[in-house]
Amino acid sequence: MRVAVVGAGITGAAAAWALARDGHDVRILEQFELDHGRGSSHGRSRIFRLAYTEPHWVRLAREALAAWRALERETGETLLELDGLLELAPTELDSSRETLDACGVAWEPAKPERYGIAAPDGWSALLQPEAGIVRADAARRVFLRGIRVETGVRVESLDDVDAEVVVVAAGPWARRLLAGTGIDLAVTETRETIAYFRHEPAVAAVVDRDAHGHLKYALRDHVHGLKAGTHMSGAPADPDEPAGPDEATVSAIARWVAERFPSLDPQPVAAETCFYTRTADESFVLERHGRIVVASPCSGHGFKFAPVVGRRIVELSTTASG
Ligand SMILES: Cc1cc2nc3c(=O)[nH]c(=O)nc-3n(C[C@H](O)[C@H](O)[C@H](O)COP(=O)(O)OP(=O)(O)OC[C@H]3O[C@@H](n4cnc5c(N)ncnc54)[C@H](O)[C@@H]3O)c2cc1C
C-alpha cells in the first residue's frame, strides 16, 4: 500500500517505521528540517514511566516498554535509561500506588533525601524502578532509518497528497490541516516552556503530582544535567508564530527546582519551548476518516508510547474504513 505520512515528529517516524516493516511503500512529508524545534518531539529526553493512576495507561506503557526493548534489540541502540522515577504527592490517595498494585507493577516507598531531594513533610514518596527516560532524539532517528523523508515540504491540502492512505501526524499543526477536509480535531495547542539546570540527578525522573495528574517534573538531560517543567502551564498559541520561552514560567520552574533539589544552582542555564496538542481528558486521537488516518497522541505524555502508537497506526491504515 502507498502511504504518505505528514510529519516527521516521533509519531510520524514511529508510524513510518512500522509501516515500512510491514512492507508498505511509505514516505514522510515534513515541512521543516528533521531536527527542528518548533513542534513537540525535539530534545534529548522524555520521561518513561508506568506510574499512572489510570490502569489503561499503565497497560499501554507496559506494552510500550516491551516494544522499546524489542526495538533496542533489533537496532542495537540504547533508547531507554530506566533507573527510576520518584513520584511525590501530598497524600497516598493522590499517588499512583493503588493502580500500580492493581496492575502488578513494582514500586517501593522512597526516602526522597536519599536522592538529594527535599519533599514537604508528610508527602507520599514512591520509587517506580521500571521508569526513567527515553532518549528522544535517538529514538526519532532510529525510527527514521531507511525511511524516505521529503523535508521542506509543507502539505497545504490533504487532497493534493498522492497516496492510498495519508497519516496525519502533524502535531500542533494537525487541527488546521484536518479542518480543510472537514475533520474536526478537538484539541488545543499550547506553547510550553521548559528550563535546564546544571545538576546530575541521582534518579532519572522526579514528578510532583496531585489527584488530577502531574504538576511539575524534572528529568535527566545529557547536556545540561537536569530538564524541568510545569505540566500544562502554557497558553494557547499558533505554532506558525515562533516565540521564546515564557519568563514567568522559567522563574516558577526555577523556584520549584530549588525547593526539590536543595544542593543545585537554581540559575537556569537554558530554556526552550515545546508544543502540547491537548485533548480535554489527555487522551490520544487515533482514528480513520476515509483514506485519512489521524494520529494525535500528545497531551504532554505521548512520547513514551511511540512504538505502540506506530503499530496502532498500521492497524488503522490497513483496515478498510467504514
Ligand atoms: C515540554 C514537553 C514535555 C513533554 N514531556 C513528555 C514526557 O516526559 N514523556 C512523554 O511520554 N511525552 C512527553 N511529551 C509529549 C511528547 O513529546 C509528544 O507527545 C510527542 O512529541 C508528539 O509528537 P508528534 O510527532 O505527534 O508531533 P510533533 O513532534 O509536533 O511532530 C509533528 C511534525 O509534523 C510536521 N508538520 C506539521 N504540519 C505539517 C504539514 N502541513 N506539512 C508537512 N509537515 C508538517 C511538523 O513540522 C512536525 O515535525 C512532552 C511534550 C512537551 C512539549
Side-chain angles (χ1 to χ4, degrees), residues 126-203:
L126 72 79
L127 184 81
Q128 197 245 303
E130 246 179 344
I133 60 168
V134 189
R135 291 185 178 178
D137 278 347
R140 207 164 29 80
R141 288 182 197 135
V142 160
F143 280 131
L144 290 174
R145 273 187 199 166
I147 302 293
R148 186 152 47 107
V149 187
E150 296 172 25
T151 54
V153 176
R154 177 161 169 137
V155 175
E156 298 292 352
S157 163
L158 292 169
D159 293 338
D160 297 339
V161 179
D162 177 23
E164 289 162 79
V165 169
V166 184
V167 176
V168 178
W173 289 269
R175 184 175 53 80
R176 268 192 285 173
L177 185 58
L178 288 162
T181 62
I183 299 171
D184 179 23
L185 185 62
V187 296
T188 305
E189 304 81 15
T190 58
R191 179 177 283 114
E192 307 289 331
T193 290
I194 48 178
Y196 292 92
F197 300 84
R198 241 184 263 298
H199 180 74
E200 293 293 334
V203 63

Side-chain angles (χ1 to χ4, degrees), residues 6-13 29-34 36 38-42 45-49 52 134 140 153-156 169-174 177 190 192-194 217 219 227 273-277 284 295-305:
V6 182
I10 191 66
T11 305
L29 307 173
E30 167 57 52
Q31 62 185 340
F32 302 129
E33 293 308 308
L34 284 184
H36 75 88
R38 294 181 53 181
S40 311
S41 300
H42 51 287
S45 55
R46 293 289 187 285
I47 295 175
F48 180 89
R49 62 186 161 109
Y52 275 87
V134 189
R140 207 164 29 80
V153 176
R154 177 161 169 137
V155 175
E156 298 292 352
W173 289 269
L177 185 58
T190 58
E192 307 289 331
T193 290
I194 48 178
Y217 59 86
L219 61 155
K227 165 181 172 177
T273 64
C274 180
F275 265 88
Y276 275 9
T277 304
F284 300 160
S296 180
C298 183
S299 289
H301 69 132
F303 205 107
K304 68 181 73 59
F305 302 107

